[in-house]
Amino acid sequence: MDGHHQKQKNKYSIIVPTYNERLNIGLIVYLIFKHLGPDGTQDVVKQLQQVYGEDRILLRARPRKLGLGTAYIHGMKHASGNFVVIMDADLSHHPKYLPSFIRKQSETGADIVTGTRYVKGGGVHGWNLMRKLTSRGANVLAQTLLWPGVSDLTGSFRLYRKSVLEDIISCCVSKGYVFQMEMIVRASRKGYHIEEVPITFVDRVFGSSKLGGSEIVEYLKA
């Protein structure tokens, strides 16, 4: 099929794991629709459903915080698109990059398109020196030990072919933030076609980071 008809055929589901993101969720949903559409967290989502429609915004609550990896799995069970986008709810992943992800996949036929901070055109804003060193150190360590073939292992702003995401997740054993690294490494080992899009990561404006010492320890163990 030509590019025009292929673009009409594809459907994209966006998974946005949330925990204490009441101040951000309304804006991130608005921005997603602004850049792709015509233009308590759960309470805000319910209000947004009245605006955009319950068929377009699905709220699939869980009883408590159960980990990022299991949140992806939970979200994927309800994703109806043949492509799935995973992004954060704290506005560090700006929806303005979504058209670039979709375009890159359409042009290359990639199984995964991942956003990267560590190539020309990418970057980070709002982090102090320690946070930058932690992220860089985590990537250098993983690059040295695992040779994944991508420049940004710890980023989580990605577009997946749904069948590929289902295959990768079925192999993963991690539950926390290291889940992101494990998914891209396993995808590389399986020979899936991975492309990168430069993004600028901007630190959250509202709320606090969920990344703590225990997550760093779990990352090193994994």
Side-chain angles (χ1 to χ4, degrees), residues 114-123 135-144 147-155 158 181 184-185 188 194-199 219:
T114 181
T116 176
R117 299 160 286 183
Y118 302 127
V119 298
K120 185 178 180 181
S135 178
R136 270 294 192 181
N139 271 282
V140 169
L141 176 64
Q143 293 280 357
T144 303
W147 292 90
V150 294
S151 61
D152 192 344
L153 276 170
T154 56
R158 296 174 186 156
M181 178 189 73
I184 204 71
V185 170
S188 179
I194 304 171
E195 291 284 343
E196 295 184 317
V197 169
I199 64 168
Y219 175 86

Side-chain angles (χ1 to χ4, degrees), residues 10-197:
N10 290 328
K11 181 179 180 181
Y12 301 85
S13 297
I14 301 175
I15 298 175
V16 185
T18 61
Y19 184 75
N20 291 344
E21 297 290 359
R22 180 176 60 85
L23 296 175
N24 292 318
I25 192 64
L27 184 54
I28 193 71
V29 171
Y30 164 75
L31 288 171
I32 288 172
F33 277 88
K34 178 178 182 291
H35 287 279
L36 284 185
D39 204 45
T41 300
Q42 294 182 24
D43 291 333
V44 174
V45 171
K46 289 174 183 176
Q47 293 175 36
L48 290 164
Q49 286 178 321
Q50 297 176 17
V51 177
Y52 293 110
E54 292 187 22
D55 59 326
R56 305 184 76 187
I57 299 178
L58 306 182
L59 174 62
R60 295 295 179 259
R62 300 197 294 170
R64 62 187 183 280
K65 185 179 181 182
L66 297 170
L68 187 61
T70 58
Y72 291 156
I73 295 170
H74 184 68
M76 194 178 65
K77 291 177 182 176
H78 304 282
S80 58
N82 56 320
F83 287 93
V84 176
V85 175
I86 293 178
M87 62 189 299
D88 291 346
D90 61 6
L91 303 178
S92 57
H93 297 158
H94 201 294
K96 70 181 180 181
Y97 295 110
L98 290 172
S100 297
F101 279 49
I102 293 170
R103 185 165 54 250
K104 174 68 77 170
Q105 192 287 321
S106 179
E107 291 172 351
T108 64
D111 298 307
I112 301 171
V113 178
T114 181
T116 176
R117 299 160 286 183
Y118 302 127
V119 298
K120 185 178 180 181
V124 175
H125 289 295
W127 278 2
N128 59 29
L129 180 60
M130 182 57 67
R131 184 74 187 274
K132 289 181 179 179
L133 289 175
T134 300
S135 178
R136 270 294 192 181
N139 271 282
V140 169
L141 176 64
Q143 293 280 357
T144 303
L145 296 177
L146 301 174
W147 292 90
V150 294
S151 61
D152 192 344
L153 276 170
T154 56
S156 58
F157 193 3
R158 296 174 186 156
L159 180 153
Y160 293 87
R161 195 181 299 275
K162 187 179 181 183
S163 59
V164 171
L165 180 58
E166 290 171 333
D167 179 37
I168 296 167
I169 283 184
S170 69
C171 302
C172 289
V173 297
S174 305
K175 300 300 181 186
Y177 284 80
V178 74
F179 194 81
Q180 300 149 358
M181 178 189 73
E182 184 179 359
M183 284 200 295
I184 204 71
V185 170
R186 289 193 182 277
S188 179
R189 293 288 191 275
K190 285 174 171 284
Y192 286 122
H193 180 182
I194 304 171
E195 291 284 343
E196 295 184 317
V197 169

